[in-house]
Structure formats: C-alpha cells, structure tokens
Amino acid sequence: MAIEHISDTARWVAVYRAMESARPDAIFRDPFARRLAGERGEEIVERMPRGRAMAWPMIVRTAVFDEVILDAIEHDGVDTIVNLAAGLDARPWRLRLPRELRWVDVDLPAILEYKTSSLSGESTNCRYEAVAADLRDAEARRALFERIGSEGERALVVTEGLLVYLTREQVGALATDLRAVPSFRRWLIDLASPRLLEIMRKWWGRQVEQGAAPFQFAPEEGTRFFEPFGWREVTFRSTMEDAQRLHREMRMMWLWRFLGRFSSAKRREDFRRFSGTVLLEATTPLRSGALND
C-alpha cells in the first residue's frame, strides 16, 4: 500500500518539498525535507498515481503558506503560531523568524517524535514547542487550546493539509473550539472545491482510504461554511493564480486559462476557487446552535 497511516501523507508531501528545494530556481528551500521524507516518502510518491506530476499544487501551497505566515508575523503582530497536524513541516527550522516568536507544533506522538528526533541536532529560529495530542479528542483539544491561548496575545492558527481529511462535523467542531480562544485571531487553511475533491478521490482515493485517511471536506458553500462558527474570509489566494505567479503551473494550464475567457463570470470564479489558501479572521461570538446548522 502507498498510504498505510495518515502520518504517511506527511512523508508524501515532504518529498515534494525536497523536489522543489533541489531546483536551482527553487521558490523555497527546505534543507530538511529529504531527510524527513526518508525512503518511505520516496516509496509513497513512486506508488501514488501521478505521484511526481502532481507535485506542483503542494509546492505552491508551501510557498504561499510561507508568505502568509511571514506577513502575519511582520504586519499583524502575531506572537504565536499554532500549527495543528504539523506533520513534517520544518518552518521553525528553515524560515527566518523572530527569536521571540513562539511556535507550537501539535500532532500525533509518533510523527512528532520522528520529526524532533530527526532534527535533534538542528536549531530552531524561534521558541519552539512540540505537543503530542490527538485532535480528535475534543476534551483534550479544548484544554490544549485554552492553555496555548492563555500564554499569548495574538495567535495565527495553521492547518495545512488537514481539513480535507475531516468531516463537516469535525471541521465545525474544530472551528468552534478555535473561536472560543480570544487570542486565536486568525486561521490559515487550504481549501478544496467539490470538483477538486472528486478528482482527488478518482486519482488517490483508494490509496488514502487504505491508510484510513479518506478525502472528505470540500464544502459546496466554500469559505461561507465557516461563518456560523465565527470565522470570515479575509483573503482567498487561488492556487491557479499563485502557480502562474510562481511559475509552477501544470502542463497546458495556459489552454485552460484561454478557454476560461469564453466562460461566464460565475464559471471563471468557480475555476479560480477550484483550490486555494484562505486566511480566516475571528468575527462575532459563535451563535447558538451553529454546530447543528
């Protein structure tokens, strides 16, 4: 099997970061990606259908998340990054971060132990904390959020590559618990459209389901899904547009853009929101009954 456990998806994406880092014109550098991916990561990519051909959206996502995180630290006064389901992300080691910034990685014990032991000889560029936790445990999750939130004033929550593996109910519960913490002001996510979800299931559905990590979340209503839970869209960064800007488009994308000129405004916007990086902002308190909507 290509994917045996949800943690294998972290090795899968780490290979893509290593691939990009090896390019002379790399749009980011992750000197730890190859080490973290290991032979298992390479094996996963080789076994996944279109394993290497479809590296570009994950590479673009990594670069855009880097940009948004650094901008939030510089311009929004963020003093804490809460990285949920952190996987093998090495940003605390590879990004130029303020020494006083607090970065909290949260993930399952095995994957965090593997990452921290693999990087034990390396220094982070900020104050770093690794917290082993199962985010499916609601009581433990709320207690963790309350503790982290009480120790900072302005936090950015990051969930890169997580929500697509959750159900609508799980995402709603997570959104509710995050909104309950006053210092959790902004939330950075990646979001797939229903059409993209169909394609992902067609290409990789069998592999991820074997590893008990099925693709599930791609709300028809897009970012409006989060509004009843006290979150609103601040910015939507289209993966297609960022791929063009960063020169990491898939083959023949120019043709799709050309054909799009003859589509309706709605269809062009749907295409733009096929996949994206979204910055959410906490708004009004959660209204009663939101989880049941």
Side-chain angles (χ1 to χ4, degrees):
M1 295 187 295
I3 303 293
E4 297 179 355
H5 187 270
I6 193 168
S7 295
D8 281 340
T9 62
R11 294 178 182 268
W12 175 16
V13 178
V15 173
Y16 294 154
R17 291 197 294 269
M19 289 168 55
E20 178 63 25
S21 299
R23 292 179 55 141
D25 63 342
I27 56 177
F28 60 81
R29 301 281 181 187
D30 186 344
F32 311 106
R34 186 73 62 185
R35 183 194 314 179
L36 291 168
E39 293 183 3
R40 175 67 182 137
E42 294 286 350
E43 179 185 11
I44 291 168
V45 170
E46 292 303 322
R47 291 189 178 191
M48 295 293 282
R50 300 176 176 85
R52 294 190 181 275
M54 294 309 297
W56 68 270
M58 275 68 150
I59 289 168
V60 170
R61 184 181 74 187
T62 298
V64 174
F65 266 64
D66 284 359
E67 292 173 359
V68 176
I69 290 169
L70 292 174
D71 183 75
I73 294 168
E74 181 176 0
H75 296 111
D76 293 338
V78 166
D79 58 21
T80 304
I81 303 292
V82 185
N83 192 11
L84 304 181
L88 300 179
D89 170 35
R91 288 188 177 94
W93 290 265
R94 68 175 180 82
L95 290 184
R96 296 183 64 178
L97 301 169
R99 294 302 308 177
E100 66 274 13
L101 178 77
R102 181 184 181 211
W103 189 294
V104 183
D105 272 353
V106 181
D107 212 326
L108 296 171
I111 193 69
L112 271 187
E113 170 59 27
Y114 170 75
K115 179 167 74 172
T116 54
S117 62
S118 297
L119 300 178
S120 61
E122 309 290 346
S123 297
T124 61
N125 298 319
C126 59
R127 296 162 52 211
Y128 178 74
E129 180 183 354
V131 178
D134 188 339
L135 292 171
R136 294 169 298 186
D137 184 333
E139 184 175 350
R141 180 179 70 224
R142 291 171 190 140
L144 174 63
F145 291 173
E146 183 178 0
R147 177 181 72 80
I148 295 173
S150 68
E151 296 169 350
E153 295 184 1
R154 194 173 187 89
L156 171 67
V157 179
V158 177
T159 53
E160 182 180 13
L162 169 63
L163 300 190
V164 74
Y165 297 105
L166 305 181
T167 64
R168 287 176 65 94
E169 291 74 20
Q170 289 171 326
V171 175
L174 176 62
T176 300
D177 292 345
L178 290 174
R179 183 61 189 86
V181 181
S183 64
F184 288 1
R185 306 286 185 85
R186 293 197 167 186
W187 182 12
L188 181 60
I189 67 172
D190 55 295
L191 191 65
S193 66
R195 176 60 182 144
L196 176 57
L197 189 70
E198 291 178 11
I199 294 172
M200 293 169 65
R201 284 172 171 170
K202 180 179 178 180
W203 287 352
W204 300 319
R206 181 173 61 85
Q207 285 79 10
V208 296
E209 287 169 9
Q210 286 174 339
F215 298 130
Q216 301 185 89
F217 184 71
E220 188 75 37
E221 65 270 47
T223 59
R224 294 193 305 276
F225 169 88
F226 298 93
E227 292 177 0
F229 304 100
W231 296 95
R232 71 171 184 89
E233 175 188 317
V234 176
T235 57
F236 181 95
R237 299 276 296 270
S238 169
T239 302
M240 303 294 187
E241 293 175 350
D242 278 319
Q244 182 181 11
R245 174 178 63 88
L246 296 168
H247 306 291
R248 291 298 181 272
E249 291 183 286
M250 71 177 186
R251 293 179 181 179
M252 303 300 290
M253 181 57 76
W254 64 269
L255 178 59
W256 288 103
R257 285 201 305 274
F258 175 75
L259 294 174
R261 296 178 183 178
F262 304 98
S263 301
S264 66
K266 181 182 184 305
R267 291 198 65 180
R268 288 197 300 273
E269 182 62 12
D270 288 344
F271 183 71
R272 178 177 174 270
R273 288 181 173 259
F274 190 71
S275 171
T277 297
V278 185
L279 184 62
L280 301 171
E281 179 180 61
T283 56
T284 56
L286 178 68
R287 63 182 173 80
S288 177
L291 279 176
N292 297 320
D293 288 352

